[in-house]
Amino acid sequence: MVTEQASTRGRAASPVRPGILIKYILMGQVPLIQGGTESTVTEACIADLYASYREYAKRENQLRSKKKQVRHMVYDSFVHYFKYARYLGLVELVRQEPMLFPPEGKNLFRVKKTENRVGAVISKRRVFRLTDLGVQEDRAWTNLCLAYKEKWIMPVKVDLPPPYIPGVVEAPEEVPVFKYSETPSAAQYRKLYKYVQTLKSIGTDEPDVKKALRGLSDPLGTWSVDLSDRIDRAEERGRQD
């Protein structure tokens, strides 16, 4: 068996690598996600593998800025990509069973034509598992398309990245609302200072924090007018005295 270093460029360099993710899911090293439920499997249909792949991409993007979002394949592209795993002998069909739910954007039923009639039948789920070669091979999973077209020698072991487990997305901290009176006071100023420090601790780059900071223009504007009125009245009294 040959050992080489994997080349990960383009989509292969993504934290959510489709080929590697398929292998890890079918090896039971990464959970399959179905309707929000995670389970360990060694067999799965393409629709479920794609749903898991898309969910992992979604979770990864929740941890990233908009400029660094992970782009994932659409379903049809994923199905086409999976075919190369079959052509290479890395996966094998285990069974076919009636489909309970259609893949997103697809139909539960398909049209079947015979000599005398045309009718609709329930689509089949084609369940796959890894072959022995699929377990032993590493390099081809980094680029199934290229491995097939260039007829890569298999099996070849490479240093694959560890099974992808996205970080936990923490719920954003709730931004409090500043309650103020129209008449400023020492107590109100202390509350304002404490409120600004709270916003700072949450993070001034957070959209809700920016909105809250912009909202401070209302109390500060009201207080500014009140203080101007007080100063004018004080100066008037001074002139009278």
Side-chain angles (χ1 to χ4, degrees), residues 35-137:
T37 301
E38 299 184 9
S39 58
T40 300
V41 302
T42 55
E43 301 175 352
C45 71
I46 299 176
D48 290 340
L49 289 169
Y50 176 74
S52 300
Y53 161 67
R54 191 183 60 176
E55 177 61 25
Y56 282 121
K58 178 181 176 181
R59 293 183 184 183
E60 174 66 23
N61 284 335
Q62 288 179 298
L63 303 172
R64 291 168 164 253
S65 65
K66 291 184 178 180
K67 293 182 180 181
K68 297 182 179 180
Q69 296 284 290
V70 172
R71 295 181 61 188
H72 62 75
M73 295 179 177
V74 298
Y75 178 73
D76 288 340
S77 296
F78 186 87
V79 172
H80 184 73
Y81 191 70
F82 187 85
K83 286 181 180 179
Y84 290 114
R86 294 174 53 201
Y87 297 157
L88 291 167
L90 302 177
V91 296
E92 62 185 359
L93 179 66
V94 178
R95 63 184 178 279
Q96 297 189 64
E97 55 192 28
M99 185 177 292
L100 299 178
F101 303 99
E104 184 173 343
K106 302 298 177 181
N107 297 316
L108 181 61
F109 295 90
R110 61 181 178 85
V111 176
K112 183 177 181 180
K113 297 181 181 180
T114 61
E115 292 183 0
N116 300 322
R117 57 182 298 182
V118 175
V121 297
I122 297 178
S123 299
K124 296 287 187 179
R125 282 166 42 96
R126 306 185 72 196
V127 180
F128 293 88
R129 67 186 175 195
L130 295 178
T131 61
D132 290 340
L133 178 61
V135 174
Q136 297 174 34
E137 172 62 19

Side-chain angles (χ1 to χ4, degrees), residues 181-186 188-189 222-238:
S181 65
E182 294 186 357
T183 303
S185 64
Q188 283 283 297
Y189 285 123
T222 301
W223 291 356
S224 176
V225 172
D226 183 84
L227 286 172
S228 295
D229 290 343
R230 290 188 185 190
I231 292 172
D232 290 342
R233 289 194 296 269
E235 291 177 346
E236 182 67 25
R237 285 195 298 270

Side-chain angles (χ1 to χ4, degrees), residues 153-164:
I153 297 173
M154 298 185 293
V156 173
K157 303 297 291 184
V158 297
D159 293 329
L160 291 178
Y164 177 74

